[in-house]
Amino acid sequence: MKFKEFKYERPDYDQVKGQLDTLQNELKECSDVNSFMEIFDKINQIRSHVQTMASLSSTRYSINTADEFYEKENDYWDEISPMYASTNSDLYKIILNHKLRNELEGRIPSAFFKLAECAIKSFDEKIISDMQEENKLISRQAKLYAGAKIDFEGKIYNLSSIGVKTTDKDRKTRESAIQAKMKWFEENEEEIDEIFDQMVKVRTTMAHKLGYSSFTELGYLRMSRLDYNADMVANYRKQVLNFIVPAAKELYDEQRERLGYKELRYFDEKIEFLSGNPKPKGTTEELIQAANKMYHELSKETGEFFDVMVEQELFDLESKPNKQGGGYCTDFPDYKVPFIFSNFNGTSGDVDVLTHEAGHAFQSYMSQKTITIPECMFPTMESAEIHSMSMEFFAHPWMPYFFKEETDKYYYLHVADAMKFVPYGVLVDHFQHEIYANPNCTKDERKKMWRDLEKKYLPHKDYAGCDMLEKGCWWYQQGHIFQSPFYYI
Ligand SMILES: [Zn+2]
């Protein structure tokens, strides 16, 4: 069955809750591990169905935020998802405190128990209205960004499609394109600041209600971090400052020399070669065909996986008006398949989607074949990127299929980018630690905070001539800061 034929129907919350309550009561009373697992399996089927519907709704809405039906459904899920979090929390408490706990540990992966503990610590009935408020703010930000119209050289771009112009080989074009993009942010500065300020406040309120001193602790729990804490991340930042920032500086110096510029300005950062960055050769259809060939040659499993993706049309790759920004991979457990969302814009990033997001999708596809407990399907945020980043590098030998005569340029760009990303990723993370440690900062103080940290981790930045960037607004472009705090690292 194709993605477009997957049937969406809003689950009736009261009915689902009734079913789950009955089963969870049975689970509580259960004194035999086999019957426990049978009941648990029924509960998981119901939860997977709810997840499938939530995921279908949000995917279709993100593809077209102007679709009135899915906009209403998106609003509905913003309201109802904390209620489902509540039913999950009840389930976790039953399992963690069950008299069969010892036997259950032999049947349910240990990660489940750890994740359940994390989830319990990050939820309470008393924060439901705050969670709803946060969801609404996230949707508001996503809709604002998805509707961006950037007038450039007589054509209308959105925040994704302008990407190809901001990396144009002509220096003047790049400069004007970035300025056009930043002009959109300037026009929406007040609203973006307002949304973010409310996000910080509501997150802090939730943390305080749960007994934490700041949102940071709650943020870590919500990311389901089982293996490391804020102290370790602070130490990691130090190592990045000591070792990677100087290495990245060498790369930026090399880049400036290669380009033959006296100074590497903010609009030069993303261009590696005077002849232009490597671009994928061919239409979206042709790139998918190249990926298909690659995945068949890579392994039997990846070949089978990619056939399913193509046959069931589990992609929405091209950038278009009213589509949300960024890229992601999600899954539909009822159908046991993943889905890839992205915004192709004609840069090498398009190929990275076919390796990176497909890496996530391959993990999801393989996991869904055998794993039935929803919590255990996803490798947690700590290890999720291992699958995607590895796939980017596994795919290297097949890059000539995508870049033809520009393959060597791609190799350089891809590896240099991986190194240059680390200080940036750490900066985004550090910024959020500061934001949530000082939730009452003014909007201007937040920008200064960003700019100061940016000078530390990305000392090469030269924003002369762009006031928005100079005053510390670069982070407006980083969706995770709004939608998924502490996502990086
Ligand atoms: Zn990823």
Side-chain angles (χ1 to χ4, degrees):
M1 198 192 278
K2 294 188 193 326
F3 165 70
K4 60 171 181 269
E5 295 156 351
F6 292 180
K7 191 166 184 278
Y8 173 76
E9 207 165 33
R10 184 196 286 186
D12 180 327
Y13 174 75
D14 292 329
Q15 200 190 335
V16 173
K17 167 102 171 88
Q19 288 171 336
L20 286 173
D21 281 348
T22 308
L23 288 166
Q24 288 178 190
N25 279 330
E26 283 177 35
L27 203 65
K28 213 188 281 178
E29 302 308 323
C30 192
S31 52
D32 163 68
V33 74
N34 288 324
S35 346
F36 183 104
M37 292 308 291
E38 271 171 38
I39 305 165
F40 188 37
D41 198 43
K42 283 185 197 155
I43 293 173
N44 288 335
Q45 282 175 27
I46 296 173
R47 295 195 301 143
S48 293
H49 179 66
V50 171
Q51 197 191 322
T52 304
M53 291 305 117
S55 195
L56 266 178
S57 164
S58 80
T59 303
R60 289 185 176 151
Y61 177 65
S62 67
I63 291 170
N64 179 12
T65 58
D67 181 318
E68 284 172 25
F69 175 79
Y70 283 108
E71 180 170 26
K72 276 203 194 78
E73 291 310 293
N74 185 67
D75 290 346
Y76 170 76
W77 285 102
D78 280 352
E79 282 289 320
I80 208 74
S81 60
M83 313 286 276
Y84 282 112
S86 174
T87 62
N88 273 336
S89 185
D90 293 342
L91 173 69
Y92 298 147
K93 284 176 193 156
I94 293 171
I95 298 181
L96 288 173
N97 300 314
H98 207 278
K99 53 183 179 273
L100 293 170
R101 169 82 190 252
N102 282 344
E103 287 163 78
L104 291 176
E105 288 190 17
R107 304 285 289 268
I108 300 173
S110 59
F112 176 87
F113 297 95
K114 291 182 185 167
L115 291 168
E117 277 165 20
C118 244
I120 287 175
K121 286 185 206 154
S122 61
F123 177 81
D124 191 279
E125 301 271 326
K126 62 189 172 205
I127 64 164
I128 287 183
S129 62
D130 303 301
M131 289 169 80
Q132 290 167 332
E133 173 64 22
E134 184 190 18
N135 286 343
K136 276 184 211 154
L137 290 166
I138 290 172
S139 291
R140 193 175 140 199
Q141 183 264 346
K143 193 174 166 70
L144 172 70
Y145 278 40
K149 289 188 175 63
I150 300 164
D151 196 347
F152 184 69
E153 292 177 341
K155 234 183 109 184
I156 300 295
Y157 292 84
N158 61 28
L159 291 170
S160 304
S161 59
I162 191 75
V164 73
K165 293 290 170 189
T166 62
T167 54
D168 195 276
K169 69 178 176 186
D170 180 67
R171 209 176 185 196
K172 200 77 212 129
T173 304
R174 293 199 298 272
E175 181 177 11
S176 324
I178 295 188
Q179 283 179 351
K181 187 180 181 186
M182 292 321 293
K183 192 168 152 255
W184 183 86
F185 282 107
E186 194 173 4
E187 284 161 5
N188 293 278
E189 187 175 1
E190 218 168 295
E191 186 169 1
I192 297 170
D193 279 343
E194 180 56 34
I195 293 172
F196 188 63
D197 189 60
Q198 289 183 31
M199 284 176 168
V200 173
K201 301 258 153 75
V202 78
R203 285 173 184 151
T204 302
T205 303
M206 281 192 266
H208 289 166
K209 283 187 185 171
L210 292 172
Y212 301 111
S213 61
S214 79
F215 174 73
T216 306
E217 290 151 280
L218 177 57
Y220 272 59
L221 288 168
R222 296 205 315 188
M223 283 287 120
S224 302
R225 284 183 176 161
L226 308 176
D227 284 346
Y228 61 89
N229 58 34
D231 290 340
M232 294 177 186
V233 173
N235 192 42
Y236 174 67
R237 283 201 291 268
K238 241 186 264 167
Q239 294 174 320
V240 169
L241 262 183
N242 288 341
F243 300 104
I244 304 199
V245 171
K249 187 189 173 298
E250 282 181 40
L251 287 173
Y252 287 114
D253 287 345
E254 233 178 75
Q255 180 183 2
R256 186 183 46 74
E257 272 170 41
R258 189 169 52 245
L259 293 168
Y261 297 151
K262 240 170 75 199
E263 285 151 342
L264 192 75
R265 308 284 308 280
Y266 64 95
F267 44 83
D268 301 324
E269 280 172 30
K270 295 284 176 205
I271 188 95
E272 291 285 356
F273 307 96
L274 265 188
S275 58
N277 283 356
K279 283 197 173 72
K281 313 291 176 214
T283 59
T284 299
E285 208 37 61
E286 287 162 339
L287 295 181
I288 292 176
Q289 277 168 20
N292 200 8
K293 205 165 162 227
M294 168 177 81
Y295 284 118
H296 275 275
E297 290 171 12
L298 183 58
S299 75
K300 185 175 149 282
E301 291 82 357
T302 50
E304 179 202 301
F305 146 75
F306 211 76
D307 280 343
V308 169
M309 297 298 289
V310 173
E311 275 160 29
Q312 304 195 28
E313 297 175 4
L314 299 165
F315 301 105
D316 196 283
L317 300 176
E318 282 165 330
S319 182
K320 50 198 160 197
N322 297 311
K323 183 170 171 176
Q324 274 180 11
Y328 65 77
C329 167
T330 185
D331 38 50
F332 308 120
D334 278 0
Y335 301 93
K336 296 192 183 301
V337 290
F339 185 88
I340 295 176
F341 171 100
S342 79
N343 279 279
F344 273 17
N345 61 6
T347 66
S348 65
D350 298 355
V351 175
D352 299 333
V353 168
L354 291 172
T355 56
H356 183 102
E357 296 305 335
H360 286 304
F362 180 57
Q363 177 272 312
S364 159
Y365 175 78
M366 294 303 280
S367 296
Q368 292 191 69
K369 280 182 175 223
T370 47
I371 300 171
T372 53
I373 302 173
E375 286 76 3
C376 301
M377 208 90 78
F378 185 69
T380 80
M381 291 295 199
E382 287 160 318
S383 43
E385 297 305 315
I386 291 173
H387 307 82
S388 51
M389 297 295 294
S390 303
M391 193 65 96
E392 288 183 31
F393 288 90
F394 287 161
H396 265 205
W398 286 272
M399 287 300 108
Y401 290 178
F402 300 93
F403 293 101
K404 309 273 188 304
E405 72 283 358
E406 290 195 299
T407 302
D408 281 344
K409 278 162 66 173
Y410 174 76
Y411 288 147
Y412 181 86
L413 178 84
H414 186 230
V415 176
D417 257 6
M419 179 69 95
K420 286 172 168 178
F421 169 78
V422 179
Y424 173 72
V426 164
L427 159 65
V428 168
D429 188 69
H430 196 163
F431 175 61
Q432 295 180 90
H433 279 85
E434 293 292 320
I435 288 290
Y436 293 107
N438 304 285
N440 295 318
C441 265
T442 64
K443 294 154 191 176
D444 289 342
E445 282 166 342
R446 286 191 186 122
K447 289 170 197 161
K448 188 175 177 306
M449 219 178 238
W450 171 268
R451 190 69 190 104
D452 288 346
L453 287 170
E454 203 175 38
K455 285 176 183 161
K456 207 164 139 177
Y457 292 104
L458 304 170
H460 69 280
K461 290 268 186 188
D462 174 0
Y463 288 146
C466 184
D467 294 343
M468 280 296 280
L469 293 173
E470 185 54 48
K471 76 174 179 191
C473 291
W474 208 104
W475 59 274
Y476 280 7
Q477 304 174 78
Q478 189 58 60
H480 308 144
I481 294 177
F482 299 88
Q483 295 144 15
S484 195
F486 298 109
Y487 175 83
Y488 276 162
I489 314 301

